[in-house]
Amino acid sequence: MSLIIKNGRVLNPPTNTDEILDIKIDGNIISAVEADIVPVFSDTVIDAKGCYVMPGLIDMHVHFRDPGQTAKEDIETGSRAAARGGVTTVLAMPNTKPVVDNPELVNYVHDKAESVGLTRVLQVGSVTKGMEGKELSDLKGMIDAGIPAISEDGKSVMDSGIYREAMKIVAAADVPVLAHCEDINLVQGGVMNMGAKSDSMGEKGISNAVENIIEVRDIMLAEETGATIHLCHCSTKESYDIVKEAKARGVKVSGEVCPHHFTLTEDDIVPGDGNYKMNPPVRTAEDRDFLRRGLAEGVFEVISTDHAPHTAEEKAKGFASPFGIVGLETSASLTYTELVLSGLITPLTMAAYMSSNPARILGRDDLGNIAPGKAADITIFDPSIEYEIHAADFVGKSKNMPFEGRKVQGKVVKTIFGGRVVYGN
């Protein structure tokens, strides 16, 4: 028995395809992509008329909090949230408790995700043991266990010598570095963007330099070692020039922007509402506009969520709460509304930024491509649906995000992972 998706507008960046086609899936592999596939009586048929049919979305930056903080999220609930958002592959950050700094914990996450079976969870390994910045993790052991990347996300490795040694090791294995860029010595208790808004709220601010200084350092280390570096959650106007100039020099660098950073500004912040506290913070309209410009021009080439769940009790503490919001269930709709409908990017570019480009950066040629022989991971997105975002509708554990009641256009209606429908009727 085959699964056939008919009449959809297939958006496949690797082949620059944007046309009405049918897709045939046998088992967990795409077997045909062509016009007018004729089903037989035993085939299951999905009519995708009026919908975008994209390679399964890949989110390069999520926190599933498993092991150790499963009151916030776990692999099963996080996978459900991913499937609802059209995401078939996620990269899980290692700042769990205990930190994922060894192959045993990598295997734990991979095995648990496989048993859940709703999305592909690729566990990222930490750069240093316990994320303490003092001694390298078992990088070679974790590479052998199948990590897709290394990261110290949640903080930066402030010891440049240790970081350089890590980059040398992973460069030899062609494993990328996911860089959280934050000069901890400049944060100084900041909880939101430094500027007029922080002054008016009486809160300590986080300047753009906190991010920019480490971006420049990390790019220089990657250039020296030959490592592939991916800058996580870029938020500043200066990031545009930093990444653009590094690419012009031939550095193997890419950058991601999160929906909250290309949508919100500090002027949207509601004083005392912890749902507006994230790291890096939402910044000025000028910063947001440079991020949008970078996405329009391809300077930034990935859209990720930094899905960072916390309990309602934690986020009820306002700007004394932990940094982080959730985003898996809203990212596709926000991207379509803010970037595609505004004309900044095309639907095909949306598919590239949310699927094909992450696959390329990770060296996964089996993913992000609707072509015969590739993984049968498909996201079906209906651009005609208009709805309001309400946290009560979320299937993940955490409901904390700053888009409550926001009207958006376009919605994921079906997610196919490994040839199986994991979300949608």
Side-chain angles (χ1 to χ4, degrees):
M1 184 179 69
S2 300
L3 174 64
I4 299 176
I5 304 168
K6 291 191 67 66
N7 306 316
R9 180 178 169 183
V10 174
L11 303 172
N12 192 47
T15 55
N16 203 34
T17 299
D18 182 353
E19 59 183 297
I20 306 300
L21 293 169
D22 297 346
I23 302 167
K24 185 178 182 181
I25 295 170
D26 287 296
N28 61 359
I29 298 295
I30 296 169
S31 56
V33 183
E34 55 194 61
D36 300 322
I37 295 175
V38 179
V40 299
F41 74 94
S42 60
D43 292 338
T44 299
V45 177
I46 296 172
D47 187 358
K49 185 177 182 180
C51 295
Y52 298 156
V53 180
M54 302 181 283
L57 305 186
I58 300 172
D59 195 323
M60 292 185 68
H61 195 142
V62 308
H63 300 264
F64 276 0
R65 309 300 192 194
D66 194 352
Q69 296 176 301
T70 53
K72 301 171 187 275
E73 193 80 279
D74 59 48
I75 290 169
E76 182 173 357
T77 60
S79 295
R80 286 182 194 154
R84 188 171 187 267
V87 178
T88 56
T89 299
V90 302
L91 270 63
M93 294 298 113
N95 59 336
T96 49
K97 292 186 178 180
V99 169
V100 180
D101 59 9
N102 61 76
E104 290 75 25
L105 284 176
V106 173
N107 291 333
Y108 160 79
V109 173
H110 288 174
D111 290 346
K112 188 169 181 180
E114 186 174 357
S115 69
V116 171
L118 293 175
T119 192
R120 184 180 294 100
V121 180
L122 304 178
Q123 179 59 58
V124 176
S126 69
V127 181
T128 67
K129 288 185 178 180
M131 292 180 62
E132 295 179 351
K134 299 176 181 178
E135 182 181 357
L136 288 181
S137 298
D138 181 4
L139 300 181
K140 292 180 179 178
M142 291 192 292
I143 290 169
D144 290 341
I147 58 170
I150 62 169
S151 183
E152 205 89 334
D153 188 65
K155 61 174 72 174
S156 290
V157 180
M158 294 305 298
D159 188 319
S160 299
I162 288 177
Y163 208 17
R164 182 172 62 181
E165 289 306 306
M167 287 191 185
K168 288 179 180 178
I169 293 169
V170 297
D174 201 22
V175 170
V177 179
L178 311 184
H180 173 111
C181 299
E182 178 184 21
D183 188 333
I184 193 62
N185 298 310
L186 277 180
V187 175
Q188 298 176 325
V191 295
M192 61 181 292
N193 185 57
M194 180 181 286
K197 186 75 172 187
S198 62
D199 290 344
S200 69
M201 289 174 54
E203 301 284 1
K204 292 184 178 179
I206 299 171
S207 72
N208 286 23
V210 169
E211 179 176 327
N212 300 332
I213 287 170
I214 302 299
E215 284 178 340
V216 172
R217 182 205 66 167
D218 288 2
I219 287 170
M220 292 177 70
L221 291 175
E223 186 172 22
E224 182 177 302
T225 60
T228 296
I229 188 161
H230 177 75
L231 302 184
C232 297
H233 43 51
C234 295
S235 74
T236 69
K237 62 183 180 182
E238 294 85 3
S239 297
Y240 170 87
D241 287 321
I242 290 169
V243 175
K244 186 175 183 178
E245 191 273 337
K247 285 186 171 185
R249 292 205 316 274
V251 181
K252 294 184 288 186
V253 59
S254 56
E256 73 187 22
V257 182
C258 300
H260 49 277
H261 287 130
F262 65 65
T263 300
L264 301 175
T265 73
E266 62 179 7
D267 294 328
D268 295 303
I269 294 173
V270 177
D273 188 343
N275 291 319
Y276 290 88
K277 185 182 179 184
M278 66 283 289
N279 188 23
V282 292
R283 299 193 184 272
T284 67
E286 185 181 14
D287 290 301
R288 181 201 58 191
D289 291 347
F290 265 94
L291 298 177
R292 290 186 175 209
R293 177 180 175 183
L295 289 165
E297 296 177 3
V299 173
F300 306 116
E301 56 197 292
V302 172
I303 292 171
S304 300
T305 62
D306 192 10
H307 178 86
H310 297 288
T311 65
E313 291 77 17
E314 288 173 315
K315 292 301 278 186
K317 299 176 183 178
F319 278 79
S321 69
F323 289 105
I325 59 170
V326 295
L328 277 167
E329 300 182 53
T330 56
S331 60
S333 296
L334 286 167
T335 298
Y336 182 74
T337 301
E338 297 294 326
L339 301 181
V340 178
L341 287 182
S342 65
L344 287 170
I345 65 173
T346 66
L348 188 62
T349 301
M350 173 179 169
Y353 287 177
M354 301 190 78
S355 182
S356 302
N357 287 357
R360 172 179 51 78
I361 292 165
L362 297 170
R364 292 293 301 259
D365 63 4
D366 57 324
L367 305 178
N369 192 351
I370 300 177
K374 303 301 183 181
D377 297 349
I378 304 288
T379 299
I380 302 178
F381 181 88
D382 189 338
S384 70
I385 296 175
E386 181 178 318
Y387 73 102
E388 289 186 358
I389 296 172
H390 291 292
D393 299 330
F394 290 0
V395 297
K397 285 186 179 179
S398 176
K399 315 298 181 184
N400 303 120
M401 55 85 208
F403 297 109
E404 182 65 31
R406 191 182 190 95
K407 287 185 178 179
V408 287
Q409 183 80 27
K411 190 174 187 180
V412 172
V413 293
K414 203 173 296 289
T415 304
I416 298 164
F417 169 61
R420 298 182 300 110
V421 177
V422 294
Y423 171 74
N425 296 325

